Amino acid sequence: MSEPEIKTDSRQMLARLREVMAEDSAGQARLDTITRLIAEEMHSQVCSVYLFRDEDTLELCATEGLNPSSVHQTRMKMGEGLVGLVARKGQRVNTPDAPSERGFRYMPETGEEIYSSFLGVPIQRLGEKLGVLVVQTKDAREFADEEVDALEVVAMVLAEMAELGAFIGEGAALSARHTQPVLLRGTTGQEGAAEGHVWLHEPRVVVTNPIAEDPHREFERLREAVEELRVGVDKMLAGARGGGKEQLDVLEAYRMFANSKGWMSRMEQDIGRGLSAEAAVEKEQSTARARMQQVTDAYLRERLHDLDDLSNRLLRILTGQGLETGAEMPADPVLIARNIGPAELLDYGRSLKAIVLEEGSVGSHAAIVARALAIPLVVHASRITTEALNGDHIMVDGDQGVVHLRPDDTVVTAFRDKIAMQAQAQERYASIRDKPAKSRDGIRVGLHMNAGLMADLPSLAGSGAEGVGLFRTELQFLVRNQMPRRSELCALYGRVLDAAQGKRVVFRTLDIGSDKVLPYMKPNDEPNPALGWRAIRVGLDKPGIMRMQLQALLRAANGRPLTVMFPFVAQFEEYRAARAEMDKAIAREKALGHALPESLEIGAMLETPSLAFAPDKFFEEVDFLSIGGNDLKQFFFAADRENERVRKRYDTLNISFLTFLEGIVKRCAASGTALSFCGEDAGRPLEAVCLAAIGLDTLSMRPASIGPVKSLIRRVDLHRVKALIDAAAARGVQSVRPDIVAYIRSLG
Ligand code: PEP
Ligand code: MG
């Protein structure tokens, strides 16, 4: 293999730069020496370093050639003048005749009017803009490509020095970075407010040696590391065969980049110019990140992301820095990550105060886990992974989807007030924990909790829930990389029943498909997955998993009472077929001589409008029904529950919907069928009160909602609420919400 070219000029410049960095000088003096050195090496009369004072303002921090009295005086806005242009675009500007360039603006106090040519390159580190490095000459000459490349390499080294705080002194812009308060807006993933200190899920790799003496050794190191990377990616690909298409796509893209000649040769060229292997990787990564901020095409952005991930892996191989940095997790960690998988999140468990993700989504598995653990979560908080440093003070407002990083005192005070108010409310809820959810007019409502993980079970006692009204069994399947075994499921269900200590637990059989795709199952390319092959439909078509699950449940009960419900039943036959599977499973267990449950209840979830119109016989046969309001509402209004545009368009307190629900209550009453409601609306106090008023006397919700719901139920007169609903229906209004709000206000 031919060795890439070694550039002596830029190597000499970097070698001198390293000497300066090794000297005893610091701060301004060091920065001055550096600009002098660069001007000399670049054969230019001027070399200046502009750094960001704040997000939008650049300040001249050191110069060789311009008027020294303008240092720390001359400032410009992002985009202003040629320097501002370099900063805004994150790209070089190279011109022999600066004054005639569009956007040129000269700063009289610097005395720069006598200089004609201008070369400016961004100083950036991993997409974070730090400043601009400029050289200028009197003669009108365009800098050669090689000179531009050399200056970019120097800028890369400066960026590293800046990051390390190696030369920034008092008053310089960079010392302000990562110390100032930042407010980031994202989207609510899980409500709640929390304060803590930053814990980075993937701490940044620190490059401590940007300049290398021996390029041959660096070429070798890079090649070895890339080889290790390629082998790793191939292994991941082999392991992912049979997995989801998306995952394979990403890995294929990884492989493409890992084998890309262009990528490799750009990094080799930078090593030839004097950078160490890791600095060369990081320079490429910085360029990719800067591009990422510019491109709007979603596909291209994704690919740049892949390249970014790959660069991180390569850096970890080169530096030997794993995820373990030796840093100690703070006592009140707020987890910051670009994205995180559900299993990784479970590893952290309840120790986290809050989670902030740069990407993520409300419906992601990580969000499901965060909700199960009741940890405030904000997703789509852009820039959080570059802004936050380990140990930073952070306040997360999950209700508003807002993150305060390094908050100032006024924010801290206001936020702590909010937390205190929430804590006071929690105290109030705790004081009624053992009291019944009984309305002022004596109507008793059963409050149960929704769960899906073992980690949820401690809330059963803490929240005052009467039982588990919905145990979503799919979470156990979602948080793993492979199908759980029957013995594992059996052990888990057994532990759930143990923890419930005789309280009723309603196990819902696997509800996959739609938004819940198992990582190890081939996804179906369905145009409308929510209306597609999901839940009981999969269970009946591929009964293997359902049989395994039913068997695990029967064995876990081990003679104790067992309650099972089937999700997404749309017609009577489906319930019958599922029940027949249960009968078969019981017969098998009996034949094997295993203990059968002391009592068995088998119900269905009512999540499609069709089931509300099922024959009377269905209502008589089913042991109980539970309304899955999330799905039922989306099908009733034909409004996708995952689509932000339409999700909140239709009010649960819409008279049509309440009338529909009341119809179901009446049918159940006529057949004596037990009925509950377990969608998210059950946990919203106003909605819960209205549901109770139309006769839904059993509600199942997130454990954290039980206190607020109980508290409101105990304050209202449910007959009065019902009368308000009826009156609103008679008036022909769309929603009863304003009337209910007014009524509750009137209670004080
Ligand atoms: C529902 O649809 O209301 C429900 C409880 O089930 P899931 O949210 O798991 O679909
Ligand atoms: Mg559902």
Side-chain angles (χ1 to χ4, degrees):
M1 201 189 300
S2 67
E3 188 94 312
E5 206 183 337
I6 296 172
K7 311 278 182 188
T8 41
D9 287 1
S10 57
R11 296 195 62 75
Q12 182 185 312
M13 178 153 61
L14 288 194
R16 286 189 60 195
L17 200 57
R18 191 177 33 200
E19 275 168 27
V20 174
M21 281 155 70
E23 279 167 13
D24 221 8
S25 69
Q28 190 68 45
R30 180 178 285 192
L31 203 50
D32 291 344
T33 315
I34 288 172
T35 50
R36 207 173 313 127
L37 184 159
I38 298 172
E40 227 176 270
E41 289 288 331
M42 295 286 294
H43 308 292
S44 58
Q45 287 90 40
V46 175
C47 172
S48 310
V49 174
Y50 297 83
L51 296 171
F52 275 100
R53 160 64 57 188
D54 56 45
E55 225 178 88
D56 204 36
T57 317
L58 283 152
E59 181 178 291
L60 176 64
C61 285
T63 184
E64 167 67 20
L66 297 185
N67 187 352
S69 65
S70 58
V71 171
H72 295 306
Q73 301 302 320
T74 293
R75 289 187 180 184
M76 61 211 52
K77 290 278 171 211
M78 177 93 104
E80 191 185 351
L82 295 185
V83 173
L85 188 70
V86 174
R88 181 164 59 82
K89 292 206 157 170
Q91 282 168 10
R92 60 175 77 161
V93 169
N94 181 10
T95 170
D97 183 10
S100 70
E101 282 294 316
R102 241 184 102 200
F104 175 80
R105 217 201 101 198
Y106 99 95
M107 305 285 180
E109 72 278 12
T110 62
E112 66 176 333
E113 64 275 19
I114 52 172
Y115 300 104
S116 177
S117 70
F118 174 101
L119 168 61
V121 297
I123 305 173
Q124 57 193 2
R125 184 171 186 274
L126 299 181
E128 190 187 359
K129 293 175 171 171
L130 307 177
V132 177
L133 176 63
V134 176
V135 288
Q136 290 169 286
T137 61
K138 284 186 191 153
D139 54 328
R141 73 175 177 105
E142 185 155 356
F143 289 89
D145 284 351
E146 203 33 63
E147 291 175 299
V148 180
D149 290 338
L151 197 67
E152 278 182 349
V153 163
V154 172
M156 159 77 211
V157 174
L158 286 186
E160 278 305 329
M161 292 166 66
E163 182 71 13
L164 297 174
F167 63 86
I168 299 296
E170 213 37 37
L174 272 175
S175 57
R177 299 284 299 182
H178 289 125
T179 58
Q180 285 179 347
V182 180
L183 183 146
L184 300 167
R185 281 181 203 285
T187 309
T188 299
Q190 155 76 15
E191 291 87 357
E195 174 180 3
H197 290 87
V198 167
W199 179 248
L200 295 170
H201 180 53
E202 287 214 313
R204 263 171 245 149
V205 176
V206 182
V207 175
T208 46
N209 56 339
I211 306 170
E213 242 167 84
D214 179 0
H216 304 287
R217 162 125 184 73
E218 297 304 301
F219 290 140
E220 198 49 43
R221 288 183 63 227
L222 180 69
R223 277 189 205 132
E224 277 172 17
V226 168
E227 192 46 41
E228 194 178 326
L229 178 77
R230 283 180 191 152
V231 171
V233 170
D234 284 347
K235 258 198 205 142
M236 283 195 287
L237 254 173
R241 300 247 178 258
K245 185 173 174 309
E246 256 178 50
Q247 195 193 354
L248 277 177
D249 280 352
V250 168
L251 289 174
E252 285 293 354
Y254 275 14
R255 179 148 75 175
M256 193 185 79
F257 283 124
N259 289 295
S260 151
K261 290 213 171 64
W263 188 48
M264 190 71 190
S265 92
R266 284 195 300 277
M267 292 190 290
E268 284 181 337
Q269 279 171 19
D270 284 331
I271 291 177
R273 292 185 186 105
L275 290 187
S276 65
E278 39 274 70
V281 176
E282 204 178 90
K283 182 164 173 281
E284 267 298 295
Q285 198 180 10
S286 283
T287 314
R289 286 219 180 153
R291 277 186 63 204
M292 203 141 64
Q293 287 167 3
Q294 307 260 324
V295 298
T296 46
D297 179 82
Y299 179 78
L300 206 61
R301 274 182 72 91
E302 273 305 310
R303 296 291 76 85
L304 284 167
H305 246 151
D306 297 341
L307 181 58
D308 196 62
D309 276 347
L310 209 62
S311 306
N312 271 334
R313 280 171 198 272
L314 193 53
L315 279 174
R316 289 194 193 287
I317 294 173
L318 275 166
T319 58
Q321 292 173 28
L323 298 180
E324 283 296 327
T325 57
E328 206 171 311
M329 177 137 74
D332 50 2
V334 171
L335 187 75
I336 307 289
R338 183 112 63 79
N339 230 334
I340 190 169
E344 289 169 302
L345 197 49
L346 271 177
D347 281 345
Y348 283 106
R350 283 184 199 275
S351 63
L352 301 175
K353 290 277 172 209
I355 305 160
V356 184
L357 300 181
E358 188 148 325
E359 295 169 359
S361 79
V362 177
S364 68
H365 301 152
I368 295 173
V369 172
R371 258 173 243 144
L373 298 174
I375 299 172
L377 165 70
V378 173
V379 297
H380 294 159
S382 61
R383 303 201 334 268
I384 185 73
T385 57
T386 36
E387 291 287 353
L389 292 181
N390 260 343
D392 276 348
H393 185 200
I394 185 167
M395 295 180 136
V396 180
D397 186 342
D399 304 329
Q400 307 293 328
V402 167
V403 178
H404 302 277
L405 188 62
R406 302 179 287 268
D408 60 28
D409 290 350
T410 43
V411 171
V412 170
T413 312
F415 200 88
R416 286 195 181 145
D417 283 351
K418 180 176 169 137
I419 293 180
M421 269 169 63
Q422 287 187 350
Q424 263 173 19
Q426 287 305 332
E427 258 172 48
R428 228 177 28 245
Y429 303 146
S431 71
I432 55 168
R433 192 187 59 195
D434 300 320
K435 299 201 167 131
K438 197 173 185 184
S439 67
R440 284 213 326 240
D441 50 337
I443 300 177
R444 175 88 168 71
V445 184
L447 303 186
H448 298 245
M449 64 173 245
N450 294 347
L453 296 168
M454 202 50 219
D456 289 319
L457 269 297
S459 302
L460 190 50
S463 66
E466 290 167 49
V468 177
L470 166 67
F471 190 90
R472 291 180 161 107
T473 60
E474 59 277 5
L475 287 190
Q476 292 307 321
F477 289 73
L478 284 168
V479 297
R480 287 157 197 256
N481 297 324
Q482 57 190 35
M483 183 78 77
R485 287 199 299 270
R486 187 187 57 203
S487 57
E488 290 172 314
L489 290 181
C490 180
L492 173 94
Y493 300 152
R495 285 205 304 276
V496 170
L497 289 170
D498 293 345
Q501 295 184 340
K503 285 184 177 171
R504 185 172 180 253
V505 178
V506 182
F507 288 99
R508 172 175 80 180
T509 62
L510 199 55
D511 180 6
I512 46 163
S514 186
D515 59 320
K516 300 159 190 144
V517 183
L518 299 187
Y520 42 86
M521 249 176 104
K522 218 168 127 236
N524 287 294
D525 251 341
E526 293 182 305
N528 289 306
L531 303 173
W533 196 56
R534 56 175 289 200
I536 193 74
R537 299 171 183 175
V538 180
L540 292 175
D541 291 357
K542 293 231 178 271
I545 303 179
M546 186 154 95
R547 283 178 192 153
M548 185 239 317
Q549 204 184 10
L550 294 179
Q551 209 167 33
L553 284 165
L554 287 167
R555 288 190 190 172
N558 193 21
R560 291 176 281 191
L562 178 66
T563 311
V564 177
M565 74 177 165
F566 297 109
F568 212 67
V569 174
Q571 56 181 12
F572 192 4
E573 250 335 290
E574 288 168 344
Y575 174 73
R576 278 200 165 140
R579 185 155 194 150
E581 284 296 340
M582 183 56 126
D583 290 341
K584 272 193 249 166
I586 290 174
R588 226 175 297 129
E589 289 305 288
K590 203 169 168 184
L592 288 170
H594 292 156
L596 295 180
E598 178 190 308
S599 59
L600 184 65
E601 283 181 280
I602 304 183
M605 284 191 79
L606 197 157
E607 305 187 86
T608 63
S610 63
L611 205 62
F613 302 95
D616 289 341
K617 190 103 181 65
F618 166 75
F619 286 83
E620 286 156 16
E621 248 180 54
V622 73
D623 292 337
F624 66 93
L625 281 172
S626 189
I627 296 177
N630 306 334
D631 275 313
L632 186 62
K633 189 179 162 195
Q634 79 166 337
F635 298 120
F636 184 77
F637 288 111
D640 187 349
R641 65 191 259 193
E642 295 288 319
N643 181 341
E644 288 299 322
R645 268 219 177 127
V646 297
R647 202 165 64 88
K648 294 193 180 137
R649 198 177 179 98
Y650 303 98
D651 191 352
T652 303
L653 303 189
N654 176 299
I655 294 294
S656 312
F657 190 51
L658 290 179
T659 307
F660 176 58
L661 293 179
E662 202 183 343
I664 299 170
V665 172
K666 284 181 181 152
R667 289 205 69 184
C668 286
S671 57
T673 313
L675 176 66
S676 63
F677 186 105
C678 64
E680 293 297 311
D681 283 317
R684 301 191 173 106
L686 233 55
E687 281 79 344
V689 156
C690 291
L691 294 173
I694 59 170
L696 279 155
D697 57 11
T698 307
L699 304 175
S700 192
M701 61 199 74
R702 294 183 203 174
S705 301
I706 290 183
V709 166
K710 189 191 279 185
S711 165
L712 190 61
I713 288 176
R714 288 171 61 85
R715 287 169 58 212
V716 297
D717 180 323
L718 285 176
H719 283 95
R720 175 95 179 98
V721 175
K722 177 69 168 76
L724 287 170
I725 296 173
D726 291 343
R731 288 203 322 275
V733 298
Q734 189 161 284
S735 166
V736 71
R737 186 174 298 273
D739 305 85
I740 303 295
V741 169
Y743 166 60
I744 287 168
R745 285 226 174 96
S746 75
L747 300 173

PDB file of all heavy atoms in Angstrom, residues 470 472 474 508 511 516 534 605 607 627-632 641 678-680, ligand 1:
ATOM      1  N   LEU A 470     -54.196  -3.090  34.500  1.00  0.00           N
ATOM      2  CA  LEU A 470     -53.650  -3.423  33.178  1.00  0.00           C
ATOM      3  C   LEU A 470     -52.170  -3.693  33.343  1.00  0.00           C
ATOM      4  O   LEU A 470     -51.405  -2.803  33.732  1.00  0.00           O
ATOM      5  CB  LEU A 470     -53.852  -2.239  32.211  1.00  0.00           C
ATOM      6  CG  LEU A 470     -53.052  -2.276  30.906  1.00  0.00           C
ATOM      7  CD1 LEU A 470     -53.521  -3.423  30.013  1.00  0.00           C
ATOM      8  CD2 LEU A 470     -53.182  -0.959  30.143  1.00  0.00           C
ATOM      9  N   ARG A 472     -49.240  -4.527  31.027  1.00  0.00           N
ATOM     10  CA  ARG A 472     -48.901  -4.626  29.595  1.00  0.00           C
ATOM     11  C   ARG A 472     -47.742  -5.599  29.424  1.00  0.00           C
ATOM     12  O   ARG A 472     -46.585  -5.230  29.617  1.00  0.00           O
ATOM     13  CB  ARG A 472     -48.494  -3.254  29.062  1.00  0.00           C
ATOM     14  CG  ARG A 472     -49.615  -2.223  28.979  1.00  0.00           C
ATOM     15  CD  ARG A 472     -49.057  -0.909  28.434  1.00  0.00           C
ATOM     16  NE  ARG A 472     -50.090  -0.028  27.914  1.00  0.00           N
ATOM     17  CZ  ARG A 472     -50.500   1.080  28.537  1.00  0.00           C
ATOM     18  NH1 ARG A 472     -49.990   1.412  29.709  1.00  0.00           N
ATOM     19  NH2 ARG A 472     -51.418   1.849  27.975  1.00  0.00           N
ATOM     20  N   GLU A 474     -46.301  -6.754  26.898  1.00  0.00           N
ATOM     21  CA  GLU A 474     -45.367  -6.601  25.774  1.00  0.00           C
ATOM     22  C   GLU A 474     -44.068  -5.906  26.167  1.00  0.00           C
ATOM     23  O   GLU A 474     -43.054  -6.056  25.498  1.00  0.00           O
ATOM     24  CB  GLU A 474     -46.001  -5.870  24.588  1.00  0.00           C
ATOM     25  CG  GLU A 474     -46.527  -4.487  24.864  1.00  0.00           C
ATOM     26  CD  GLU A 474     -47.929  -4.522  25.459  1.00  0.00           C
ATOM     27  OE1 GLU A 474     -48.432  -5.633  25.729  1.00  0.00           O
ATOM     28  OE2 GLU A 474     -48.509  -3.455  25.670  1.00  0.00           O
ATOM     29  N   ARG A 508     -52.584  -8.496  30.491  1.00  0.00           N
ATOM     30  CA  ARG A 508     -53.027  -8.407  29.096  1.00  0.00           C
ATOM     31  C   ARG A 508     -52.037  -9.181  28.240  1.00  0.00           C
ATOM     32  O   ARG A 508     -50.821  -8.975  28.340  1.00  0.00           O
ATOM     33  CB  ARG A 508     -53.039  -6.954  28.637  1.00  0.00           C
ATOM     34  CG  ARG A 508     -53.304  -6.864  27.141  1.00  0.00           C
ATOM     35  CD  ARG A 508     -53.439  -5.460  26.686  1.00  0.00           C
ATOM     36  NE  ARG A 508     -52.160  -4.805  26.512  1.00  0.00           N
ATOM     37  CZ  ARG A 508     -52.041  -3.539  26.115  1.00  0.00           C
ATOM     38  NH1 ARG A 508     -53.124  -2.810  25.906  1.00  0.00           N
ATOM     39  NH2 ARG A 508     -50.863  -3.002  25.953  1.00  0.00           N
ATOM     40  N   ASP A 511     -49.517  -7.420  23.165  1.00  0.00           N
ATOM     41  CA  ASP A 511     -50.113  -6.461  22.226  1.00  0.00           C
ATOM     42  C   ASP A 511     -48.979  -5.871  21.386  1.00  0.00           C
ATOM     43  O   ASP A 511     -48.421  -4.829  21.719  1.00  0.00           O
ATOM     44  CB  ASP A 511     -50.825  -5.346  23.016  1.00  0.00           C
ATOM     45  CG  ASP A 511     -51.463  -4.297  22.101  1.00  0.00           C
ATOM     46  OD1 ASP A 511     -51.456  -4.484  20.869  1.00  0.00           O
ATOM     47  OD2 ASP A 511     -51.966  -3.290  22.626  1.00  0.00           O
ATOM     48  N   LYS A 516     -45.806  -0.798  18.569  1.00  0.00           N
ATOM     49  CA  LYS A 516     -44.914  -1.643  19.364  1.00  0.00           C
ATOM     50  C   LYS A 516     -44.328  -2.751  18.495  1.00  0.00           C
ATOM     51  O   LYS A 516     -44.962  -3.776  18.279  1.00  0.00           O
ATOM     52  CB  LYS A 516     -45.683  -2.256  20.525  1.00  0.00           C
ATOM     53  CG  LYS A 516     -46.270  -1.232  21.467  1.00  0.00           C
ATOM     54  CD  LYS A 516     -47.405  -1.830  22.259  1.00  0.00           C
ATOM     55  CE  LYS A 516     -48.164  -0.779  23.029  1.00  0.00           C
ATOM     56  NZ  LYS A 516     -49.595  -1.088  23.074  1.00  0.00           N
ATOM     57  N   ARG A 534     -51.979  -6.704  14.274  1.00  0.00           N
ATOM     58  CA  ARG A 534     -51.482  -6.406  15.616  1.00  0.00           C
ATOM     59  C   ARG A 534     -52.280  -7.159  16.681  1.00  0.00           C
ATOM     60  O   ARG A 534     -53.340  -7.720  16.409  1.00  0.00           O
ATOM     61  CB  ARG A 534     -51.556  -4.887  15.882  1.00  0.00           C
ATOM     62  CG  ARG A 534     -52.945  -4.291  15.694  1.00  0.00           C
ATOM     63  CD  ARG A 534     -52.993  -2.830  16.085  1.00  0.00           C
ATOM     64  NE  ARG A 534     -52.892  -2.668  17.524  1.00  0.00           N
ATOM     65  CZ  ARG A 534     -53.281  -1.577  18.183  1.00  0.00           C
ATOM     66  NH1 ARG A 534     -53.773  -0.545  17.524  1.00  0.00           N
ATOM     67  NH2 ARG A 534     -53.179  -1.515  19.492  1.00  0.00           N
ATOM     68  N   MET A 605     -60.343  -6.505  25.864  1.00  0.00           N
ATOM     69  CA  MET A 605     -60.246  -5.048  25.824  1.00  0.00           C
ATOM     70  C   MET A 605     -61.163  -4.545  24.741  1.00  0.00           C
ATOM     71  O   MET A 605     -61.186  -5.090  23.627  1.00  0.00           O
ATOM     72  CB  MET A 605     -58.816  -4.614  25.538  1.00  0.00           C
ATOM     73  CG  MET A 605     -57.938  -4.770  26.753  1.00  0.00           C
ATOM     74  SD  MET A 605     -56.353  -3.972  26.511  1.00  0.00           S
ATOM     75  CE  MET A 605     -56.756  -2.253  26.790  1.00  0.00           C
ATOM     76  N   GLU A 607     -61.481  -1.877  22.347  1.00  0.00           N
ATOM     77  CA  GLU A 607     -60.625  -0.827  21.782  1.00  0.00           C
ATOM     78  C   GLU A 607     -61.042  -0.450  20.371  1.00  0.00           C
ATOM     79  O   GLU A 607     -60.452   0.434  19.761  1.00  0.00           O
ATOM     80  CB  GLU A 607     -59.162  -1.292  21.741  1.00  0.00           C
ATOM     81  CG  GLU A 607     -58.632  -1.737  23.086  1.00  0.00           C
ATOM     82  CD  GLU A 607     -57.143  -2.031  23.070  1.00  0.00           C
ATOM     83  OE1 GLU A 607     -56.368  -1.096  23.259  1.00  0.00           O
ATOM     84  OE2 GLU A 607     -56.776  -3.202  22.842  1.00  0.00           O
ATOM     85  N   ILE A 627     -62.093  -0.909  28.778  1.00  0.00           N
ATOM     86  CA  ILE A 627     -62.025  -0.006  27.630  1.00  0.00           C
ATOM     87  C   ILE A 627     -60.606   0.516  27.478  1.00  0.00           C
ATOM     88  O   ILE A 627     -60.061   1.143  28.400  1.00  0.00           O
ATOM     89  CB  ILE A 627     -63.008   1.175  27.797  1.00  0.00           C
ATOM     90  CG1 ILE A 627     -64.444   0.646  27.805  1.00  0.00           C
ATOM     91  CG2 ILE A 627     -62.813   2.214  26.683  1.00  0.00           C
ATOM     92  CD1 ILE A 627     -65.493   1.718  28.026  1.00  0.00           C
ATOM     93  N   GLY A 628     -59.994   0.225  26.337  1.00  0.00           N
ATOM     94  CA  GLY A 628     -58.674   0.784  26.028  1.00  0.00           C
ATOM     95  C   GLY A 628     -58.909   2.121  25.340  1.00  0.00           C
ATOM     96  O   GLY A 628     -59.000   2.216  24.119  1.00  0.00           O
ATOM     97  N   GLY A 629     -59.043   3.140  26.163  1.00  0.00           N
ATOM     98  CA  GLY A 629     -59.469   4.449  25.646  1.00  0.00           C
ATOM     99  C   GLY A 629     -58.513   5.044  24.624  1.00  0.00           C
ATOM    100  O   GLY A 629     -58.946   5.794  23.743  1.00  0.00           O
ATOM    101  N   ASN A 630     -57.228   4.713  24.725  1.00  0.00           N
ATOM    102  CA  ASN A 630     -56.267   5.298  23.774  1.00  0.00           C
ATOM    103  C   ASN A 630     -56.602   4.858  22.359  1.00  0.00           C
ATOM    104  O   ASN A 630     -56.668   5.665  21.434  1.00  0.00           O
ATOM    105  CB  ASN A 630     -54.837   4.865  24.105  1.00  0.00           C
ATOM    106  CG  ASN A 630     -54.458   5.156  25.548  1.00  0.00           C
ATOM    107  OD1 ASN A 630     -55.023   6.057  26.158  1.00  0.00           O
ATOM    108  ND2 ASN A 630     -53.529   4.394  26.083  1.00  0.00           N
ATOM    109  N   ASP A 631     -56.777   3.555  22.224  1.00  0.00           N
ATOM    110  CA  ASP A 631     -57.111   3.053  20.891  1.00  0.00           C
ATOM    111  C   ASP A 631     -58.554   3.368  20.524  1.00  0.00           C
ATOM    112  O   ASP A 631     -58.837   3.804  19.417  1.00  0.00           O
ATOM    113  CB  ASP A 631     -56.869   1.533  20.826  1.00  0.00           C
ATOM    114  CG  ASP A 631     -55.414   1.226  20.503  1.00  0.00           C
ATOM    115  OD1 ASP A 631     -54.884   1.846  19.562  1.00  0.00           O
ATOM    116  OD2 ASP A 631     -54.807   0.391  21.190  1.00  0.00           O
ATOM    117  N   LEU A 632     -59.457   3.172  21.484  1.00  0.00           N
ATOM    118  CA  LEU A 632     -60.868   3.386  21.155  1.00  0.00           C
ATOM    119  C   LEU A 632     -61.106   4.817  20.658  1.00  0.00           C
ATOM    120  O   LEU A 632     -61.811   5.049  19.683  1.00  0.00           O
ATOM    121  CB  LEU A 632     -61.751   3.109  22.372  1.00  0.00           C
ATOM    122  CG  LEU A 632     -63.253   3.161  22.083  1.00  0.00           C
ATOM    123  CD1 LEU A 632     -63.643   2.085  21.073  1.00  0.00           C
ATOM    124  CD2 LEU A 632     -64.080   2.983  23.351  1.00  0.00           C
ATOM    125  N   ARG A 641     -53.372   8.347  17.267  1.00  0.00           N
ATOM    126  CA  ARG A 641     -52.909   8.733  18.608  1.00  0.00           C
ATOM    127  C   ARG A 641     -51.434   9.106  18.632  1.00  0.00           C
ATOM    128  O   ARG A 641     -50.950   9.699  19.588  1.00  0.00           O
ATOM    129  CB  ARG A 641     -53.192   7.607  19.621  1.00  0.00           C
ATOM    130  CG  ARG A 641     -52.411   6.324  19.352  1.00  0.00           C
ATOM    131  CD  ARG A 641     -52.914   5.160  20.189  1.00  0.00           C
ATOM    132  NE  ARG A 641     -52.057   4.898  21.339  1.00  0.00           N
ATOM    133  CZ  ARG A 641     -52.133   3.800  22.089  1.00  0.00           C
ATOM    134  NH1 ARG A 641     -53.027   2.857  21.821  1.00  0.00           N
ATOM    135  NH2 ARG A 641     -51.338   3.627  23.101  1.00  0.00           N
ATOM    136  N   CYS A 678     -59.075   1.708  31.022  1.00  0.00           N
ATOM    137  CA  CYS A 678     -57.643   1.713  31.351  1.00  0.00           C
ATOM    138  C   CYS A 678     -56.789   2.540  30.393  1.00  0.00           C
ATOM    139  O   CYS A 678     -55.576   2.388  30.372  1.00  0.00           O
ATOM    140  CB  CYS A 678     -57.104   0.292  31.438  1.00  0.00           C
ATOM    141  SG  CYS A 678     -57.174  -0.614  29.896  1.00  0.00           S
ATOM    142  N   GLY A 679     -57.389   3.418  29.613  1.00  0.00           N
ATOM    143  CA  GLY A 679     -56.571   4.297  28.752  1.00  0.00           C
ATOM    144  C   GLY A 679     -55.995   5.455  29.556  1.00  0.00           C
ATOM    145  O   GLY A 679     -56.314   5.635  30.742  1.00  0.00           O
ATOM    146  N   GLU A 680     -55.139   6.238  28.925  1.00  0.00           N
ATOM    147  CA  GLU A 680     -54.472   7.363  29.607  1.00  0.00           C
ATOM    148  C   GLU A 680     -55.459   8.350  30.224  1.00  0.00           C
ATOM    149  O   GLU A 680     -55.168   8.982  31.236  1.00  0.00           O
ATOM    150  CB  GLU A 680     -53.585   8.132  28.620  1.00  0.00           C
ATOM    151  CG  GLU A 680     -52.391   7.359  28.109  1.00  0.00           C
ATOM    152  CD  GLU A 680     -51.414   6.978  29.200  1.00  0.00           C
ATOM    153  OE1 GLU A 680     -51.041   7.855  29.983  1.00  0.00           O
ATOM    154  OE2 GLU A 680     -51.061   5.786  29.274  1.00  0.00           O
TER     155      GLU A 680
HETATM  156  C1  PEP B   1     -55.431   1.645  25.204  1.00  0.00           C
HETATM  157  O1  PEP B   1     -55.423   1.502  23.985  1.00  0.00           O
HETATM  158  O2  PEP B   1     -56.110   2.503  25.781  1.00  0.00           O
HETATM  159  C2  PEP B   1     -54.571   0.801  26.057  1.00  0.00           C
HETATM  160  C3  PEP B   1     -54.676   0.829  27.361  1.00  0.00           C
HETATM  161  O3  PEP B   1     -53.651   0.031  25.447  1.00  0.00           O
HETATM  162  P1  PEP B   1     -52.295   0.588  24.819  1.00  0.00           P
HETATM  163  O4  PEP B   1     -52.169   2.010  25.208  1.00  0.00           O
HETATM  164  O5  PEP B   1     -51.221  -0.275  25.362  1.00  0.00           O
HETATM  165  O6  PEP B   1     -52.526   0.397  23.358  1.00  0.00           O
END
